[in-house]
Amino acid sequence: MRTSEAKGLVEQAYTAWDAEEWLRAADLFERVLAHFPDEGPSAVWWYDAALAHKFLRNWAKAYELGREAAARAPRGEGDPAFWNLGIAATIRRDWATARDAWAGFGIELPDGEGEITGRFGHACVRLDTGGQREVVWVERLCPARGRVVNVPVTGGRRYGEIVVHDGEPKGERVVDGVTYPVFDELLLFEASGLPTLEVTVDAAAAADLAALVESFTGHGFGAEPASGVETLCACCGEGTRHQERNVRAGAQRVALAAPPEEARRLLEQWAARTPAGRGWSGLTTLG
């Protein structure tokens, strides 16, 4: 392949890129890279080809091309080639490559080998299941994975599942003056065995409802009062949103994540502690 032909193919690749024709763009980049793998701009072409396959959710190709891109990227300088490789390697459960990719980006990881289970703080992830979208809180286990710590109320999703999320925030939540990024979900990495239940509770005071939530979370389960759920349009959901850590008193639905018998036991204990101001009824399983 002559240099002039390669230049023309790259121009076609970026035209396809602008049109979001990701597969055509990636194919054109790969045709050029088969002949010019290590020219001056080749590192960018490897990266863009891998990124196109990431957009297509073709993780095998994103991984294959991402390794080539990362091999040509400077280490320790936050080069995005390492981040995209870290995501693809995580999805393929290639922990050695994922660890090397995060280190190449410049992130300090917990010592050890194999699966990464660290404490990377809290963030929000925008779940997307069959077109139903919901922003939930997660505990980040690594730069690309988080455990859901809300009880999702749409799409049949579950408390405790682990998701892989993208690296570029699409919005933010501000709680008590602290800003948390909102990432888009890439895929469900590990399902949760906890079913989702729903119950109607009557709490005389907000503290009563808070005590119910604390009872469930203290046992490794989840509780999500309806008064704590905020529905946003797509435009607002991707912007900056200020939230408060509070729930309201009164009768309302509460989504629970727990085995039914455990949920019933905890509800009975909660109601018995203050019989005059706490009650519940209609415990049902949603999924």
Side-chain angles (χ1 to χ4, degrees):
M1 178 183 291
R2 296 190 300 274
T3 302
S4 58
E5 183 182 356
K7 181 179 179 181
L9 291 177
V10 170
E11 290 175 354
Q12 293 177 45
Y14 282 117
T15 298
W17 186 281
D18 292 339
E20 298 187 358
E21 296 175 359
W22 309 122
L23 184 57
R24 174 170 168 73
D27 287 345
L28 288 165
F29 282 129
E30 288 185 77
R31 284 175 60 185
V32 174
L33 289 165
H35 296 273
F36 300 101
D38 291 304
E39 297 300 312
S42 294
V44 175
W45 300 337
W46 284 113
Y47 171 77
D48 287 340
L51 184 59
H53 281 293
K54 176 193 166 190
F55 292 154
L56 292 167
R57 303 298 190 259
N58 183 342
W59 300 113
K61 289 291 290 185
Y63 173 84
E64 173 193 338
L65 300 174
R67 286 174 63 95
E68 298 289 348
R72 294 162 174 81
R75 295 183 67 86
E77 298 181 13
D79 194 290
F82 289 107
W83 198 284
N84 284 343
L85 176 59
I87 289 174
T90 295
I91 290 172
R92 291 173 62 86
R93 289 175 164 80
D94 179 350
W95 299 112
T97 299
R99 284 177 175 273
D100 184 69
W102 301 130
F105 187 84
I107 295 173
E108 185 175 347
L109 298 174
D111 293 335
E113 299 179 354
E115 184 171 345
I116 305 166
T117 306
R119 295 180 178 273
F120 286 79
H122 286 81
C124 295
V125 172
R126 185 176 293 104
L127 304 181
D128 191 347
T129 305
Q132 291 184 295
R133 309 182 79 191
E134 177 180 358
V135 175
V136 298
W137 288 92
V138 301
E139 294 175 338
R140 299 180 72 188
L141 305 175
C142 75
R145 288 158 50 246
R147 179 180 290 109
V148 176
V149 293
N150 286 123
V151 183
V153 296
T154 59
R157 304 300 292 271
R158 288 184 168 185
Y159 172 94
E161 64 189 21
I162 297 174
V163 300
V164 176
H165 59 75
D166 209 348
E168 179 185 2
K170 294 292 181 63
E172 57 188 20
R173 297 292 183 269
V174 181
V175 182
D176 297 336
V178 180
T179 300
Y180 300 89
V182 180
F183 300 105
D184 284 340
E185 178 189 26
L186 295 176
L187 57 74
L188 173 61
F189 186 81
E190 185 177 311
S192 170
L194 289 176
T196 301
L197 316 174
E198 187 175 70
V199 66
T200 298
V201 303
D202 193 0
D208 293 314
L209 198 55
L212 176 64
V213 173
E214 290 171 7
S215 175
F216 274 76
T217 57
H219 286 80
F221 304 136
E224 195 75 38
S227 61
V229 176
E230 183 180 24
T231 302
L232 302 175
C233 66
C235 179
C236 294
E238 294 188 0
T240 298
R241 194 72 182 179
H242 292 261
Q243 295 181 239
E244 297 181 357
R245 298 182 188 273
N246 59 28
V247 291
R248 296 188 298 274
Q252 60 190 283
R253 296 188 311 278
V254 178
L256 304 172
E261 288 306 312
E262 282 294 295
R264 185 177 299 276
R265 181 180 67 83
L266 292 174
L267 285 164
E268 290 174 348
Q269 288 181 351
W270 170 77
R273 289 193 181 99
T274 312
R278 301 177 180 181
W280 63 276
S281 62
L283 180 65
T284 58
T285 301
L286 299 181

